[in-house]
Amino acid sequence: MKTYKIASIPGDGIGKEVIPECEKVLNALSKKHPEVAFQFEHFDWGGDYYRKYGIMMPDDGLEPLRSKDAILFGSAGDPKIPDHITLWGLRLKICQGFDQYANVRPTRILPGIETPLRNCKPGQLDWVIVRENSEGEYSGVGGRAHQGHPIEVASDMSIMTRVGVERVQRFAFKLAQSRPRKHLTVITKSNAQRHGMVMWDEIANIVAKDFPDVTWDKELVDAATARMVNRPESLDTIVATNLHADVLSDLAAALAGSLGIAPTANLDPERRYPSMFEPIHGSAFDIMGKGLANPIGTFWSAVMMLDFLGEKALGAKLMAAIEKVTANPKLHTRDLGGTAMMSDVTNAVIEEISK
Ligand code: ATP
């Protein structure tokens, strides 16, 4: 029997609801397939931890995570704590601490889900966005001086390194190569950002030479938003900087029906450290504690985790169960226009995988 050690970090808001549901689903999968087991260790980091200790997670918090096979993460965000503290103090501390430089975000319209795009036929929207996850606009370089005075100054600097750009682009070309269409779109803004983004473009030209079977094109980030809406079928794999991909992937999630469905993986492709899997959505305090959260984004993230751990058959089984459940409108939560509760969705997925 193979036992996977999973760090479970629900974080804040609905993260505290969807992560336990995901554990139930993984345990049900293990019950049906006893050759695989999951051993969860729970970490109560996040907003409440901050209120007690003044930090989102312990300074040496990465240590107990280091030996895990993967990390399952809910969300970080609290209406009473500034966003930059919740983000930098927990999620980014883990992503950057474990050099999870490739953030992978698949988007697909699942069976039974309606897209706001009028003319989009099933199968025409099937994307994977690769987000650079370690530098760029999220490098944390910059500062503020003379706060509150008329001469106040503030800056955020985007840092792009050749190593950082090349490794994420190489990862994206490889991912594009593994998908049936073998097509990559490199998102840029080199018309306005004339240093870092110009280097980004140059590196894409160089890396592309190692992938002659991948067709690729370049798109300005602003034009990319329109293309996602007007010509979704023209896109397949997409690679973008930290900030550009952050914005594009929220748009992608909305076009695929709901933020509540979208998954993401923060990968260390070299497997030096554990990778982290989480739904795209945030803490959604407006629906917290009501059992209304859609857990599908978290379940799909668990599929990505199983795939990354090498348990592809189990991942496929869980994905099939998810698609069976989304196909039934009676099992749609409120974000999808339905009346189902989170627990109805979980129970239905468990029923499917237990068959
Ligand atoms: P944060 O500050 O942590 O990013 P947020 O509340 O600003 O959180 P999100 O949580 O990403 O932003 O979500 C925006 C809205 O989408 C929420 O207010 C909620 O109504 C809805 N939503 C997000 N995720 C889900 C979900 N899993 N199920 C149902 N509705 C959701």
Side-chain angles (χ1 to χ4, degrees):
M1 184 174 77
K2 172 84 191 150
T3 300
Y4 291 105
K5 288 182 286 168
I6 311 291
S8 176
I9 310 177
D12 302 316
I14 61 169
K16 286 186 184 150
E17 296 172 56
V18 291
I19 292 298
E21 297 296 286
C22 190
E23 289 184 21
K24 281 186 211 163
V25 164
L26 287 167
N27 283 332
L29 205 54
S30 158
K31 196 166 167 204
K32 182 76 185 168
H33 300 273
E35 66 279 11
V36 170
F38 303 97
Q39 194 184 81
F40 297 101
E41 188 176 344
H42 300 98
F43 297 88
D44 62 345
W45 302 337
D48 291 338
Y49 192 91
Y50 181 85
R51 271 181 279 277
K52 261 198 233 159
Y53 304 108
I55 39 175
M56 293 289 288
M57 66 182 274
D59 287 339
D60 58 357
L62 293 183
E63 287 318 309
L65 305 182
R66 206 176 284 277
S67 59
K68 301 288 182 284
D69 294 301
I71 302 164
L72 207 49
F73 188 82
S75 67
D78 189 300
K80 299 209 178 78
I81 306 171
D83 283 344
H84 65 274
I85 292 179
T86 54
L87 182 65
W88 282 93
L90 183 52
R91 199 181 151 271
L92 287 184
K93 198 164 161 166
I94 298 171
C95 288
Q96 298 194 351
F98 286 151
D99 202 16
Q100 296 162 343
Y101 66 82
N103 179 226
V104 182
R105 303 183 159 199
T107 307
R108 188 150 61 78
I109 301 173
L110 298 184
I113 305 295
E114 255 177 60
T115 162
L117 296 177
R118 241 180 312 144
N119 298 320
C120 188
K121 311 239 164 12
Q124 285 188 328
L125 194 164
D126 184 355
W127 306 326
V128 185
I129 298 179
V130 178
R131 171 182 180 181
E132 199 296 311
N133 213 26
S134 68
E135 54 174 33
E137 307 87 343
Y138 285 56
S139 307
V141 177
R144 270 177 89 172
H146 312 299
Q147 280 193 40
H149 293 279
I151 54 162
E152 181 167 358
V153 52
S155 71
D156 283 291
M157 202 182 291
S158 170
I159 303 288
M160 313 276 259
T161 65
R162 181 166 279 274
V163 168
V165 172
E166 184 175 336
R167 66 183 184 175
V168 77
Q169 290 190 353
R170 200 166 279 286
F171 177 86
F173 269 99
K174 226 184 254 172
L175 183 64
Q177 194 176 44
S178 74
R179 286 171 52 89
R181 287 186 47 203
K182 298 189 194 305
H183 184 76
L184 178 71
T185 299
V186 177
I187 304 295
T188 185
K189 191 64 191 171
S190 49
N191 56 345
Q193 294 173 290
R194 56 198 183 144
H195 307 294
M197 291 311 298
V198 172
M199 182 178 80
W200 169 272
D201 291 358
E202 285 169 11
I203 293 174
N205 278 309
I206 295 167
V207 175
K209 291 198 173 63
D210 292 338
F211 298 87
D213 55 336
V214 175
T215 58
W216 72 288
D217 56 10
K218 230 175 3 182
E219 189 73 85
L220 292 173
V221 63
D222 42 340
T225 58
R227 181 167 161 191
M228 285 165 76
V229 173
N230 296 326
R231 291 187 295 130
E233 72 291 347
S234 72
L235 295 160
D236 187 77
T237 310
I238 297 164
V239 63
T241 65
N242 217 328
L243 179 63
H244 291 166
D246 181 40
V247 176
L248 293 183
S249 53
D250 260 32
L251 173 61
L255 294 178
S258 166
L259 208 53
I261 292 177
T264 184
N266 302 282
L267 302 182
D268 165 24
E270 278 84 44
R271 296 172 190 268
R272 298 156 297 171
Y273 308 104
S275 291
M276 180 159 76
F277 302 83
E278 55 172 338
I280 278 193
H281 64 75
S283 46
F285 266 76
D286 53 329
I287 55 165
M288 175 193 168
K290 299 179 182 156
L292 293 172
N294 188 343
I296 294 288
T298 312
F299 298 166
W300 192 350
S301 304
V303 171
M304 297 183 81
M305 180 179 88
L306 291 167
D307 284 349
F308 194 70
L309 291 174
E311 298 291 347
K312 297 231 185 267
L314 286 191
K317 177 150 190 188
L318 178 52
M319 197 65 218
I322 290 171
E323 295 192 6
K324 209 56 187 288
V325 167
T326 61
N328 181 356
K330 286 203 185 98
L331 292 170
H332 286 184
T333 40
R334 206 172 65 173
D335 54 309
L336 295 172
T339 53
M341 303 296 284
M342 175 176 68
S343 54
D344 299 329
V345 180
T346 307
N347 292 340
V349 169
I350 289 177
E351 204 181 305
E352 279 302 322
I353 52 185
S354 308
K355 274 182 186 163

PDB file of all heavy atoms in Angstrom, residues 234-259:
ATOM      1  N   SER A 234      -9.340  29.385 -30.471  1.00  0.00           N
ATOM      2  CA  SER A 234      -8.012  29.646 -31.047  1.00  0.00           C
ATOM      3  C   SER A 234      -6.904  29.496 -30.004  1.00  0.00           C
ATOM      4  O   SER A 234      -5.730  29.596 -30.316  1.00  0.00           O
ATOM      5  CB  SER A 234      -7.964  31.045 -31.661  1.00  0.00           C
ATOM      6  OG  SER A 234      -7.944  32.028 -30.630  1.00  0.00           O
ATOM      7  N   LEU A 235      -7.302  29.253 -28.749  1.00  0.00           N
ATOM      8  CA  LEU A 235      -6.310  29.136 -27.672  1.00  0.00           C
ATOM      9  C   LEU A 235      -6.253  27.704 -27.140  1.00  0.00           C
ATOM     10  O   LEU A 235      -7.257  26.989 -27.158  1.00  0.00           O
ATOM     11  CB  LEU A 235      -6.673  30.080 -26.521  1.00  0.00           C
ATOM     12  CG  LEU A 235      -6.622  31.573 -26.854  1.00  0.00           C
ATOM     13  CD1 LEU A 235      -7.438  32.372 -25.854  1.00  0.00           C
ATOM     14  CD2 LEU A 235      -5.168  32.049 -26.865  1.00  0.00           C
ATOM     15  N   ASP A 236      -5.075  27.323 -26.644  1.00  0.00           N
ATOM     16  CA  ASP A 236      -4.954  25.997 -26.024  1.00  0.00           C
ATOM     17  C   ASP A 236      -4.117  26.135 -24.742  1.00  0.00           C
ATOM     18  O   ASP A 236      -4.648  26.356 -23.679  1.00  0.00           O
ATOM     19  CB  ASP A 236      -4.332  25.000 -26.999  1.00  0.00           C
ATOM     20  CG  ASP A 236      -4.362  23.599 -26.434  1.00  0.00           C
ATOM     21  OD1 ASP A 236      -5.436  22.969 -26.454  1.00  0.00           O
ATOM     22  OD2 ASP A 236      -3.314  23.132 -25.928  1.00  0.00           O
ATOM     23  N   THR A 237      -2.794  26.070 -24.868  1.00  0.00           N
ATOM     24  CA  THR A 237      -1.931  26.309 -23.713  1.00  0.00           C
ATOM     25  C   THR A 237      -1.491  27.778 -23.776  1.00  0.00           C
ATOM     26  O   THR A 237      -1.248  28.310 -24.865  1.00  0.00           O
ATOM     27  CB  THR A 237      -0.705  25.373 -23.749  1.00  0.00           C
ATOM     28  OG1 THR A 237      -1.172  24.042 -23.957  1.00  0.00           O
ATOM     29  CG2 THR A 237       0.072  25.427 -22.453  1.00  0.00           C
ATOM     30  N   ILE A 238      -1.428  28.406 -22.608  1.00  0.00           N
ATOM     31  CA  ILE A 238      -1.121  29.839 -22.544  1.00  0.00           C
ATOM     32  C   ILE A 238      -0.059  30.027 -21.460  1.00  0.00           C
ATOM     33  O   ILE A 238      -0.172  29.427 -20.389  1.00  0.00           O
ATOM     34  CB  ILE A 238      -2.398  30.624 -22.152  1.00  0.00           C
ATOM     35  CG1 ILE A 238      -3.495  30.444 -23.233  1.00  0.00           C
ATOM     36  CG2 ILE A 238      -2.102  32.101 -21.916  1.00  0.00           C
ATOM     37  CD1 ILE A 238      -4.884  30.855 -22.772  1.00  0.00           C
ATOM     38  N   VAL A 239       0.953  30.846 -21.731  1.00  0.00           N
ATOM     39  CA  VAL A 239       1.923  31.147 -20.665  1.00  0.00           C
ATOM     40  C   VAL A 239       1.996  32.661 -20.492  1.00  0.00           C
ATOM     41  O   VAL A 239       1.977  33.411 -21.470  1.00  0.00           O
ATOM     42  CB  VAL A 239       3.320  30.527 -20.948  1.00  0.00           C
ATOM     43  CG1 VAL A 239       3.972  31.097 -22.196  1.00  0.00           C
ATOM     44  CG2 VAL A 239       4.249  30.702 -19.733  1.00  0.00           C
ATOM     45  N   ALA A 240       2.017  33.089 -19.231  1.00  0.00           N
ATOM     46  CA  ALA A 240       2.012  34.528 -18.962  1.00  0.00           C
ATOM     47  C   ALA A 240       2.738  34.815 -17.658  1.00  0.00           C
ATOM     48  O   ALA A 240       2.958  33.920 -16.837  1.00  0.00           O
ATOM     49  CB  ALA A 240       0.575  35.039 -18.901  1.00  0.00           C
ATOM     50  N   THR A 241       3.065  36.088 -17.471  1.00  0.00           N
ATOM     51  CA  THR A 241       3.744  36.481 -16.233  1.00  0.00           C
ATOM     52  C   THR A 241       2.781  36.338 -15.051  1.00  0.00           C
ATOM     53  O   THR A 241       1.569  36.155 -15.232  1.00  0.00           O
ATOM     54  CB  THR A 241       4.202  37.950 -16.285  1.00  0.00           C
ATOM     55  OG1 THR A 241       3.039  38.786 -16.338  1.00  0.00           O
ATOM     56  CG2 THR A 241       5.092  38.222 -17.483  1.00  0.00           C
ATOM     57  N   ASN A 242       3.344  36.498 -13.879  1.00  0.00           N
ATOM     58  CA  ASN A 242       2.602  36.323 -12.627  1.00  0.00           C
ATOM     59  C   ASN A 242       1.304  37.146 -12.607  1.00  0.00           C
ATOM     60  O   ASN A 242       0.209  36.599 -12.373  1.00  0.00           O
ATOM     61  CB  ASN A 242       3.542  36.777 -11.497  1.00  0.00           C
ATOM     62  CG  ASN A 242       3.392  35.929 -10.261  1.00  0.00           C
ATOM     63  OD1 ASN A 242       2.302  35.437  -9.982  1.00  0.00           O
ATOM     64  ND2 ASN A 242       4.464  35.761  -9.504  1.00  0.00           N
ATOM     65  N   LEU A 243       1.410  38.437 -12.882  1.00  0.00           N
ATOM     66  CA  LEU A 243       0.228  39.304 -12.800  1.00  0.00           C
ATOM     67  C   LEU A 243      -0.709  39.106 -13.994  1.00  0.00           C
ATOM     68  O   LEU A 243      -1.928  39.015 -13.835  1.00  0.00           O
ATOM     69  CB  LEU A 243       0.678  40.771 -12.719  1.00  0.00           C
ATOM     70  CG  LEU A 243      -0.442  41.807 -12.641  1.00  0.00           C
ATOM     71  CD1 LEU A 243      -1.272  41.636 -11.379  1.00  0.00           C
ATOM     72  CD2 LEU A 243       0.123  43.228 -12.689  1.00  0.00           C
ATOM     73  N   HIS A 244      -0.136  39.041 -15.191  1.00  0.00           N
ATOM     74  CA  HIS A 244      -0.986  38.868 -16.382  1.00  0.00           C
ATOM     75  C   HIS A 244      -1.812  37.595 -16.261  1.00  0.00           C
ATOM     76  O   HIS A 244      -3.021  37.580 -16.527  1.00  0.00           O
ATOM     77  CB  HIS A 244      -0.129  38.803 -17.648  1.00  0.00           C
ATOM     78  CG  HIS A 244       0.531  40.104 -17.996  1.00  0.00           C
ATOM     79  ND1 HIS A 244       1.542  40.218 -18.914  1.00  0.00           N
ATOM     80  CD2 HIS A 244       0.320  41.362 -17.532  1.00  0.00           C
ATOM     81  CE1 HIS A 244       1.930  41.479 -19.012  1.00  0.00           C
ATOM     82  NE2 HIS A 244       1.204  42.189 -18.176  1.00  0.00           N
ATOM     83  N   ALA A 245      -1.163  36.508 -15.843  1.00  0.00           N
ATOM     84  CA  ALA A 245      -1.879  35.231 -15.753  1.00  0.00           C
ATOM     85  C   ALA A 245      -2.895  35.241 -14.620  1.00  0.00           C
ATOM     86  O   ALA A 245      -3.927  34.579 -14.699  1.00  0.00           O
ATOM     87  CB  ALA A 245      -0.882  34.090 -15.552  1.00  0.00           C
ATOM     88  N   ASP A 246      -2.618  36.002 -13.575  1.00  0.00           N
ATOM     89  CA  ASP A 246      -3.566  36.110 -12.464  1.00  0.00           C
ATOM     90  C   ASP A 246      -4.887  36.658 -12.988  1.00  0.00           C
ATOM     91  O   ASP A 246      -5.967  36.127 -12.714  1.00  0.00           O
ATOM     92  CB  ASP A 246      -2.977  37.036 -11.394  1.00  0.00           C
ATOM     93  CG  ASP A 246      -3.891  37.166 -10.194  1.00  0.00           C
ATOM     94  OD1 ASP A 246      -4.475  36.146  -9.792  1.00  0.00           O
ATOM     95  OD2 ASP A 246      -4.037  38.289  -9.674  1.00  0.00           O
ATOM     96  N   VAL A 247      -4.792  37.719 -13.775  1.00  0.00           N
ATOM     97  CA  VAL A 247      -6.003  38.360 -14.303  1.00  0.00           C
ATOM     98  C   VAL A 247      -6.674  37.452 -15.335  1.00  0.00           C
ATOM     99  O   VAL A 247      -7.880  37.205 -15.279  1.00  0.00           O
ATOM    100  CB  VAL A 247      -5.637  39.724 -14.940  1.00  0.00           C
ATOM    101  CG1 VAL A 247      -6.857  40.365 -15.568  1.00  0.00           C
ATOM    102  CG2 VAL A 247      -5.022  40.649 -13.889  1.00  0.00           C
ATOM    103  N   LEU A 248      -5.877  36.923 -16.268  1.00  0.00           N
ATOM    104  CA  LEU A 248      -6.469  36.099 -17.331  1.00  0.00           C
ATOM    105  C   LEU A 248      -7.151  34.856 -16.764  1.00  0.00           C
ATOM    106  O   LEU A 248      -8.167  34.404 -17.285  1.00  0.00           O
ATOM    107  CB  LEU A 248      -5.391  35.675 -18.343  1.00  0.00           C
ATOM    108  CG  LEU A 248      -4.779  36.797 -19.181  1.00  0.00           C
ATOM    109  CD1 LEU A 248      -3.792  36.208 -20.194  1.00  0.00           C
ATOM    110  CD2 LEU A 248      -5.848  37.618 -19.918  1.00  0.00           C
ATOM    111  N   SER A 249      -6.599  34.296 -15.675  1.00  0.00           N
ATOM    112  CA  SER A 249      -7.195  33.041 -15.205  1.00  0.00           C
ATOM    113  C   SER A 249      -8.505  33.270 -14.462  1.00  0.00           C
ATOM    114  O   SER A 249      -9.350  32.391 -14.442  1.00  0.00           O
ATOM    115  CB  SER A 249      -6.204  32.210 -14.402  1.00  0.00           C
ATOM    116  OG  SER A 249      -5.663  32.963 -13.384  1.00  0.00           O
ATOM    117  N   ASP A 250      -8.699  34.445 -13.868  1.00  0.00           N
ATOM    118  CA  ASP A 250     -10.013  34.728 -13.283  1.00  0.00           C
ATOM    119  C   ASP A 250     -11.049  34.880 -14.396  1.00  0.00           C
ATOM    120  O   ASP A 250     -12.186  34.410 -14.279  1.00  0.00           O
ATOM    121  CB  ASP A 250      -9.980  36.009 -12.434  1.00  0.00           C
ATOM    122  CG  ASP A 250      -9.870  35.695 -10.954  1.00  0.00           C
ATOM    123  OD1 ASP A 250      -9.234  34.659 -10.631  1.00  0.00           O
ATOM    124  OD2 ASP A 250     -10.408  36.449 -10.122  1.00  0.00           O
ATOM    125  N   LEU A 251     -10.631  35.533 -15.482  1.00  0.00           N
ATOM    126  CA  LEU A 251     -11.526  35.652 -16.641  1.00  0.00           C
ATOM    127  C   LEU A 251     -11.849  34.259 -17.178  1.00  0.00           C
ATOM    128  O   LEU A 251     -13.011  33.927 -17.450  1.00  0.00           O
ATOM    129  CB  LEU A 251     -10.866  36.512 -17.732  1.00  0.00           C
ATOM    130  CG  LEU A 251     -11.602  36.586 -19.075  1.00  0.00           C
ATOM    131  CD1 LEU A 251     -12.993  37.186 -18.920  1.00  0.00           C
ATOM    132  CD2 LEU A 251     -10.802  37.408 -20.090  1.00  0.00           C
ATOM    133  N   ALA A 252     -10.815  33.436 -17.289  1.00  0.00           N
ATOM    134  CA  ALA A 252     -11.015  32.072 -17.801  1.00  0.00           C
ATOM    135  C   ALA A 252     -12.009  31.316 -16.935  1.00  0.00           C
ATOM    136  O   ALA A 252     -12.923  30.650 -17.435  1.00  0.00           O
ATOM    137  CB  ALA A 252      -9.678  31.333 -17.844  1.00  0.00           C
ATOM    138  N   ALA A 253     -11.849  31.435 -15.604  1.00  0.00           N
ATOM    139  CA  ALA A 253     -12.742  30.706 -14.687  1.00  0.00           C
ATOM    140  C   ALA A 253     -14.176  31.172 -14.866  1.00  0.00           C
ATOM    141  O   ALA A 253     -15.110  30.366 -14.892  1.00  0.00           O
ATOM    142  CB  ALA A 253     -12.279  30.922 -13.248  1.00  0.00           C
ATOM    143  N   ALA A 254     -14.374  32.482 -15.014  1.00  0.00           N
ATOM    144  CA  ALA A 254     -15.735  33.002 -15.185  1.00  0.00           C
ATOM    145  C   ALA A 254     -16.322  32.526 -16.514  1.00  0.00           C
ATOM    146  O   ALA A 254     -17.498  32.164 -16.587  1.00  0.00           O
ATOM    147  CB  ALA A 254     -15.732  34.526 -15.118  1.00  0.00           C
ATOM    148  N   LEU A 255     -15.502  32.493 -17.568  1.00  0.00           N
ATOM    149  CA  LEU A 255     -16.002  32.048 -18.874  1.00  0.00           C
ATOM    150  C   LEU A 255     -16.360  30.566 -18.863  1.00  0.00           C
ATOM    151  O   LEU A 255     -17.200  30.114 -19.630  1.00  0.00           O
ATOM    152  CB  LEU A 255     -14.960  32.327 -19.971  1.00  0.00           C
ATOM    153  CG  LEU A 255     -14.677  33.808 -20.256  1.00  0.00           C
ATOM    154  CD1 LEU A 255     -13.592  33.955 -21.319  1.00  0.00           C
ATOM    155  CD2 LEU A 255     -15.944  34.537 -20.701  1.00  0.00           C
ATOM    156  N   ALA A 256     -15.724  29.826 -17.980  1.00  0.00           N
ATOM    157  CA  ALA A 256     -16.024  28.394 -17.893  1.00  0.00           C
ATOM    158  C   ALA A 256     -17.208  28.129 -16.974  1.00  0.00           C
ATOM    159  O   ALA A 256     -17.534  26.984 -16.701  1.00  0.00           O
ATOM    160  CB  ALA A 256     -14.806  27.629 -17.417  1.00  0.00           C
ATOM    161  N   GLY A 257     -17.840  29.173 -16.471  1.00  0.00           N
ATOM    162  CA  GLY A 257     -19.090  28.968 -15.727  1.00  0.00           C
ATOM    163  C   GLY A 257     -19.087  29.504 -14.319  1.00  0.00           C
ATOM    164  O   GLY A 257     -20.063  30.062 -13.870  1.00  0.00           O
ATOM    165  N   SER A 258     -18.006  29.336 -13.581  1.00  0.00           N
ATOM    166  CA  SER A 258     -17.975  29.850 -12.207  1.00  0.00           C
ATOM    167  C   SER A 258     -16.569  29.752 -11.628  1.00  0.00           C
ATOM    168  O   SER A 258     -15.821  28.819 -11.925  1.00  0.00           O
ATOM    169  CB  SER A 258     -18.902  29.033 -11.308  1.00  0.00           C
ATOM    170  OG  SER A 258     -18.644  29.312  -9.947  1.00  0.00           O
ATOM    171  N   LEU A 259     -16.273  30.718 -10.777  1.00  0.00           N
ATOM    172  CA  LEU A 259     -15.008  30.699 -10.036  1.00  0.00           C
ATOM    173  C   LEU A 259     -14.956  29.461  -9.121  1.00  0.00           C
ATOM    174  O   LEU A 259     -13.885  28.972  -8.782  1.00  0.00           O
ATOM    175  CB  LEU A 259     -14.967  31.974  -9.185  1.00  0.00           C
ATOM    176  CG  LEU A 259     -13.652  32.599  -8.800  1.00  0.00           C
ATOM    177  CD1 LEU A 259     -12.784  32.832 -10.019  1.00  0.00           C
ATOM    178  CD2 LEU A 259     -13.896  33.921  -8.073  1.00  0.00           C
TER     179      LEU A 259
END
